[in-house]
Every structure is written in C-alpha cells, then in structure tokens.
PDB file of all heavy atoms in Angstrom:
ATOM      1  N   ASP A   1       0.834  -1.241  -0.006  1.00  0.00           N
ATOM      2  CA  ASP A   1      -0.005  -0.004  -0.019  1.00  0.00           C
ATOM      3  C   ASP A   1       0.868   1.255   0.016  1.00  0.00           C
ATOM      4  O   ASP A   1       0.521   2.248  -0.702  1.00  0.00           O
ATOM      5  CB  ASP A   1      -0.873  -0.062   1.226  1.00  0.00           C
ATOM      6  CG  ASP A   1      -2.022  -1.116   1.115  1.00  0.00           C
ATOM      7  OD1 ASP A   1      -2.232  -1.559   0.023  1.00  0.00           O
ATOM      8  OD2 ASP A   1      -2.511  -1.505   2.177  1.00  0.00           O
ATOM      9  N   ARG A   2       1.977   1.143   0.738  1.00  0.00           N
ATOM     10  CA  ARG A   2       2.883   2.350   0.766  1.00  0.00           C
ATOM     11  C   ARG A   2       3.458   2.638  -0.597  1.00  0.00           C
ATOM     12  O   ARG A   2       3.553   3.720  -1.086  1.00  0.00           O
ATOM     13  CB  ARG A   2       3.986   2.154   1.763  1.00  0.00           C
ATOM     14  CG  ARG A   2       4.865   3.384   1.950  1.00  0.00           C
ATOM     15  CD  ARG A   2       5.987   3.091   2.982  1.00  0.00           C
ATOM     16  NE  ARG A   2       5.459   2.773   4.320  1.00  0.00           N
ATOM     17  CZ  ARG A   2       5.567   1.579   4.861  1.00  0.00           C
ATOM     18  NH1 ARG A   2       6.190   0.563   4.223  1.00  0.00           N
ATOM     19  NH2 ARG A   2       5.074   1.352   6.044  1.00  0.00           N
ATOM     20  N   VAL A   3       3.930   1.604  -1.323  1.00  0.00           N
ATOM     21  CA  VAL A   3       4.435   1.684  -2.660  1.00  0.00           C
ATOM     22  C   VAL A   3       3.345   2.254  -3.567  1.00  0.00           C
ATOM     23  O   VAL A   3       3.599   3.220  -4.348  1.00  0.00           O
ATOM     24  CB  VAL A   3       4.912   0.409  -3.160  1.00  0.00           C
ATOM     25  CG1 VAL A   3       5.257   0.454  -4.682  1.00  0.00           C
ATOM     26  CG2 VAL A   3       6.115  -0.052  -2.397  1.00  0.00           C
ATOM     27  N   LEU A   4       2.083   1.727  -3.524  1.00  0.00           N
ATOM     28  CA  LEU A   4       1.042   2.214  -4.405  1.00  0.00           C
ATOM     29  C   LEU A   4       0.710   3.667  -4.072  1.00  0.00           C
ATOM     30  O   LEU A   4       0.368   4.413  -5.024  1.00  0.00           O
ATOM     31  CB  LEU A   4      -0.240   1.285  -4.212  1.00  0.00           C
ATOM     32  CG  LEU A   4       0.041  -0.122  -4.700  1.00  0.00           C
ATOM     33  CD1 LEU A   4      -1.270  -0.967  -4.429  1.00  0.00           C
ATOM     34  CD2 LEU A   4       0.313  -0.139  -6.180  1.00  0.00           C
ATOM     35  N   ALA A   5       0.742   4.015  -2.867  1.00  0.00           N
ATOM     36  CA  ALA A   5       0.482   5.398  -2.461  1.00  0.00           C
ATOM     37  C   ALA A   5       1.531   6.376  -3.048  1.00  0.00           C
ATOM     38  O   ALA A   5       1.174   7.434  -3.646  1.00  0.00           O
ATOM     39  CB  ALA A   5       0.449   5.611  -0.911  1.00  0.00           C
ATOM     40  N   ARG A   6       2.818   5.945  -2.915  1.00  0.00           N
ATOM     41  CA  ARG A   6       3.857   6.819  -3.499  1.00  0.00           C
ATOM     42  C   ARG A   6       3.745   6.896  -5.005  1.00  0.00           C
ATOM     43  O   ARG A   6       3.938   7.934  -5.621  1.00  0.00           O
ATOM     44  CB  ARG A   6       5.272   6.184  -3.164  1.00  0.00           C
ATOM     45  CG  ARG A   6       5.562   6.171  -1.646  1.00  0.00           C
ATOM     46  CD  ARG A   6       5.796   7.553  -1.072  1.00  0.00           C
ATOM     47  NE  ARG A   6       6.219   7.451   0.277  1.00  0.00           N
ATOM     48  CZ  ARG A   6       6.431   8.548   1.001  1.00  0.00           C
ATOM     49  NH1 ARG A   6       6.298   9.783   0.523  1.00  0.00           N
ATOM     50  NH2 ARG A   6       6.755   8.428   2.263  1.00  0.00           N
ATOM     51  N   ALA A   7       3.378   5.669  -5.670  1.00  0.00           N
ATOM     52  CA  ALA A   7       3.288   5.617  -7.086  1.00  0.00           C
ATOM     53  C   ALA A   7       2.058   6.530  -7.462  1.00  0.00           C
ATOM     54  O   ALA A   7       2.142   7.286  -8.500  1.00  0.00           O
ATOM     55  CB  ALA A   7       3.030   4.247  -7.571  1.00  0.00           C
ATOM     56  N   GLU A   8       1.012   6.518  -6.758  1.00  0.00           N
ATOM     57  CA  GLU A   8      -0.152   7.328  -7.134  1.00  0.00           C
ATOM     58  C   GLU A   8       0.173   8.853  -6.993  1.00  0.00           C
ATOM     59  O   GLU A   8      -0.290   9.627  -7.865  1.00  0.00           O
ATOM     60  CB  GLU A   8      -1.292   6.955  -6.206  1.00  0.00           C
ATOM     61  CG  GLU A   8      -2.593   7.827  -6.415  1.00  0.00           C
ATOM     62  CD  GLU A   8      -3.193   7.656  -7.818  1.00  0.00           C
ATOM     63  OE1 GLU A   8      -2.967   6.605  -8.426  1.00  0.00           O
ATOM     64  OE2 GLU A   8      -3.904   8.659  -8.244  1.00  0.00           O
ATOM     65  N   THR A   9       0.958   9.205  -5.930  1.00  0.00           N
ATOM     66  CA  THR A   9       1.333  10.633  -5.834  1.00  0.00           C
ATOM     67  C   THR A   9       2.131  11.020  -6.998  1.00  0.00           C
ATOM     68  O   THR A   9       1.896  12.160  -7.635  1.00  0.00           O
ATOM     69  CB  THR A   9       2.169  10.789  -4.516  1.00  0.00           C
ATOM     70  OG1 THR A   9       1.274  10.414  -3.426  1.00  0.00           O
ATOM     71  CG2 THR A   9       2.558  12.243  -4.351  1.00  0.00           C
ATOM     72  N   TRP A  10       3.174  10.266  -7.453  1.00  0.00           N
ATOM     73  CA  TRP A  10       4.026  10.629  -8.545  1.00  0.00           C
ATOM     74  C   TRP A  10       3.173  10.651  -9.813  1.00  0.00           C
ATOM     75  O   TRP A  10       3.396  11.617 -10.597  1.00  0.00           O
ATOM     76  CB  TRP A  10       5.193   9.594  -8.594  1.00  0.00           C
ATOM     77  CG  TRP A  10       6.002   9.792  -9.897  1.00  0.00           C
ATOM     78  CD1 TRP A  10       6.914  10.760 -10.058  1.00  0.00           C
ATOM     79  CD2 TRP A  10       5.941   9.021 -11.117  1.00  0.00           C
ATOM     80  NE1 TRP A  10       7.539  10.660 -11.303  1.00  0.00           N
ATOM     81  CE2 TRP A  10       6.886   9.549 -11.953  1.00  0.00           C
ATOM     82  CE3 TRP A  10       5.124   7.929 -11.514  1.00  0.00           C
ATOM     83  CZ2 TRP A  10       7.044   9.041 -13.275  1.00  0.00           C
ATOM     84  CZ3 TRP A  10       5.317   7.447 -12.755  1.00  0.00           C
ATOM     85  CH2 TRP A  10       6.192   8.019 -13.614  1.00  0.00           C
ATOM     86  N   GLN A  11       2.355   9.658 -10.039  1.00  0.00           N
ATOM     87  CA  GLN A  11       1.556   9.594 -11.228  1.00  0.00           C
ATOM     88  C   GLN A  11       0.585  10.782 -11.350  1.00  0.00           C
ATOM     89  O   GLN A  11       0.323  11.415 -12.352  1.00  0.00           O
ATOM     90  CB  GLN A  11       0.774   8.316 -11.404  1.00  0.00           C
ATOM     91  CG  GLN A  11       1.693   7.085 -11.640  1.00  0.00           C
ATOM     92  CD  GLN A  11       0.905   5.809 -11.566  1.00  0.00           C
ATOM     93  OE1 GLN A  11      -0.307   5.803 -11.067  1.00  0.00           O
ATOM     94  NE2 GLN A  11       1.516   4.724 -11.986  1.00  0.00           N
ATOM     95  N   HIS A  12       0.017  11.178 -10.192  1.00  0.00           N
ATOM     96  CA  HIS A  12      -0.981  12.305 -10.187  1.00  0.00           C
ATOM     97  C   HIS A  12      -0.257  13.676 -10.350  1.00  0.00           C
ATOM     98  O   HIS A  12      -0.815  14.496 -11.135  1.00  0.00           O
ATOM     99  CB  HIS A  12      -1.704  12.331  -8.837  1.00  0.00           C
ATOM    100  CG  HIS A  12      -2.717  13.451  -8.712  1.00  0.00           C
ATOM    101  ND1 HIS A  12      -2.316  14.678  -8.161  1.00  0.00           N
ATOM    102  CD2 HIS A  12      -4.010  13.525  -9.042  1.00  0.00           C
ATOM    103  CE1 HIS A  12      -3.399  15.484  -8.239  1.00  0.00           C
ATOM    104  NE2 HIS A  12      -4.463  14.825  -8.774  1.00  0.00           N
ATOM    105  N   ASP A  13       0.875  13.777  -9.811  1.00  0.00           N
ATOM    106  CA  ASP A  13       1.514  15.110  -9.909  1.00  0.00           C
ATOM    107  C   ASP A  13       2.332  15.270 -11.151  1.00  0.00           C
ATOM    108  O   ASP A  13       2.398  16.334 -11.708  1.00  0.00           O
ATOM    109  CB  ASP A  13       2.443  15.317  -8.699  1.00  0.00           C
ATOM    110  CG  ASP A  13       1.611  15.438  -7.375  1.00  0.00           C
ATOM    111  OD1 ASP A  13       0.402  15.712  -7.413  1.00  0.00           O
ATOM    112  OD2 ASP A  13       2.196  15.201  -6.268  1.00  0.00           O
ATOM    113  N   ILE A  14       2.920  14.170 -11.640  1.00  0.00           N
ATOM    114  CA  ILE A  14       3.939  14.253 -12.694  1.00  0.00           C
ATOM    115  C   ILE A  14       3.518  13.568 -13.942  1.00  0.00           C
ATOM    116  O   ILE A  14       3.433  14.134 -15.025  1.00  0.00           O
ATOM    117  CB  ILE A  14       5.292  13.787 -12.197  1.00  0.00           C
ATOM    118  CG1 ILE A  14       5.746  14.493 -10.906  1.00  0.00           C
ATOM    119  CG2 ILE A  14       6.344  13.982 -13.290  1.00  0.00           C
ATOM    120  CD1 ILE A  14       5.872  16.027 -11.055  1.00  0.00           C
ATOM    121  N   ALA A  15       3.296  12.253 -13.785  1.00  0.00           N
ATOM    122  CA  ALA A  15       3.166  11.352 -15.009  1.00  0.00           C
ATOM    123  C   ALA A  15       1.904  11.658 -15.822  1.00  0.00           C
ATOM    124  O   ALA A  15       2.037  11.778 -17.003  1.00  0.00           O
ATOM    125  CB  ALA A  15       3.157   9.841 -14.567  1.00  0.00           C
ATOM    126  N   ARG A  16       0.834  11.706 -15.180  1.00  0.00           N
ATOM    127  CA  ARG A  16      -0.453  11.956 -15.947  1.00  0.00           C
ATOM    128  C   ARG A  16      -0.465  13.327 -16.621  1.00  0.00           C
ATOM    129  O   ARG A  16      -0.870  13.448 -17.823  1.00  0.00           O
ATOM    130  CB  ARG A  16      -1.681  11.796 -15.038  1.00  0.00           C
ATOM    131  CG  ARG A  16      -1.844  10.371 -14.569  1.00  0.00           C
ATOM    132  CD  ARG A  16      -3.240  10.157 -13.923  1.00  0.00           C
ATOM    133  NE  ARG A  16      -3.409   8.901 -13.252  1.00  0.00           N
ATOM    134  CZ  ARG A  16      -3.240   8.703 -11.959  1.00  0.00           C
ATOM    135  NH1 ARG A  16      -3.022   9.759 -11.181  1.00  0.00           N
ATOM    136  NH2 ARG A  16      -3.328   7.494 -11.487  1.00  0.00           N
ATOM    137  N   PRO A  17      -0.017  14.429 -15.947  1.00  0.00           N
ATOM    138  CA  PRO A  17       0.040  15.747 -16.642  1.00  0.00           C
ATOM    139  C   PRO A  17       0.935  15.689 -17.831  1.00  0.00           C
ATOM    140  O   PRO A  17       0.529  16.233 -18.930  1.00  0.00           O
ATOM    141  CB  PRO A  17       0.480  16.708 -15.568  1.00  0.00           C
ATOM    142  CG  PRO A  17       0.014  16.061 -14.249  1.00  0.00           C
ATOM    143  CD  PRO A  17       0.204  14.684 -14.446  1.00  0.00           C
ATOM    144  N   ILE A  18       2.119  15.038 -17.745  1.00  0.00           N
ATOM    145  CA  ILE A  18       2.991  15.008 -18.895  1.00  0.00           C
ATOM    146  C   ILE A  18       2.337  14.226 -20.029  1.00  0.00           C
ATOM    147  O   ILE A  18       2.409  14.654 -21.223  1.00  0.00           O
ATOM    148  CB  ILE A  18       4.312  14.438 -18.418  1.00  0.00           C
ATOM    149  CG1 ILE A  18       4.993  15.331 -17.502  1.00  0.00           C
ATOM    150  CG2 ILE A  18       5.210  14.207 -19.681  1.00  0.00           C
ATOM    151  CD1 ILE A  18       6.371  14.788 -16.985  1.00  0.00           C
ATOM    152  N   ALA A  19       1.754  13.042 -19.691  1.00  0.00           N
ATOM    153  CA  ALA A  19       1.124  12.213 -20.706  1.00  0.00           C
ATOM    154  C   ALA A  19      -0.059  12.910 -21.373  1.00  0.00           C
ATOM    155  O   ALA A  19      -0.315  12.647 -22.596  1.00  0.00           O
ATOM    156  CB  ALA A  19       0.700  10.889 -20.095  1.00  0.00           C
ATOM    157  N   ALA A  20      -0.707  13.797 -20.586  1.00  0.00           N
ATOM    158  CA  ALA A  20      -1.816  14.523 -21.228  1.00  0.00           C
ATOM    159  C   ALA A  20      -1.466  15.698 -22.054  1.00  0.00           C
ATOM    160  O   ALA A  20      -2.273  16.312 -22.677  1.00  0.00           O
ATOM    161  CB  ALA A  20      -2.782  14.928 -20.061  1.00  0.00           C
ATOM    162  N   SER A  21      -0.187  16.106 -22.013  1.00  0.00           N
ATOM    163  CA  SER A  21       0.237  17.330 -22.798  1.00  0.00           C
ATOM    164  C   SER A  21       0.142  17.015 -24.293  1.00  0.00           C
ATOM    165  O   SER A  21       0.387  15.803 -24.730  1.00  0.00           O
ATOM    166  CB  SER A  21       1.660  17.684 -22.391  1.00  0.00           C
ATOM    167  OG  SER A  21       1.693  18.035 -21.036  1.00  0.00           O
ATOM    168  N   PRO A  22      -0.084  18.072 -25.085  1.00  0.00           N
ATOM    169  CA  PRO A  22      -0.100  17.892 -26.571  1.00  0.00           C
ATOM    170  C   PRO A  22       1.229  17.461 -27.091  1.00  0.00           C
ATOM    171  O   PRO A  22       2.264  17.833 -26.618  1.00  0.00           O
ATOM    172  CB  PRO A  22      -0.577  19.202 -27.090  1.00  0.00           C
ATOM    173  CG  PRO A  22      -0.156  20.224 -26.037  1.00  0.00           C
ATOM    174  CD  PRO A  22      -0.262  19.501 -24.785  1.00  0.00           C
ATOM    175  N   ALA A  23       1.087  16.598 -28.122  1.00  0.00           N
ATOM    176  CA  ALA A  23       2.403  16.062 -28.761  1.00  0.00           C
ATOM    177  C   ALA A  23       2.952  17.082 -29.707  1.00  0.00           C
ATOM    178  O   ALA A  23       2.299  18.043 -30.167  1.00  0.00           O
ATOM    179  CB  ALA A  23       2.041  14.707 -29.522  1.00  0.00           C
ATOM    180  N   GLY A  24       4.180  16.887 -30.154  1.00  0.00           N
ATOM    181  CA  GLY A  24       4.799  17.646 -31.157  1.00  0.00           C
ATOM    182  C   GLY A  24       5.743  18.681 -30.573  1.00  0.00           C
ATOM    183  O   GLY A  24       6.613  19.200 -31.368  1.00  0.00           O
TER     184      GLY A  24
END
C-alpha cells in the first residue's frame, strides 16, 4: 500500500500531466 500510495502521488503530480500534454 505504501508503494502504491507513492506511485499514485508521482503519477498524479507528474506522470499523468505530462502524458496529457499535446504532442509535437
């Protein structure tokens, strides 16, 4: 659960916004 919480924090703050940015 601790790993998943850390992963969710990083994905929410960093990974998902970057993946949602326009390409090009």
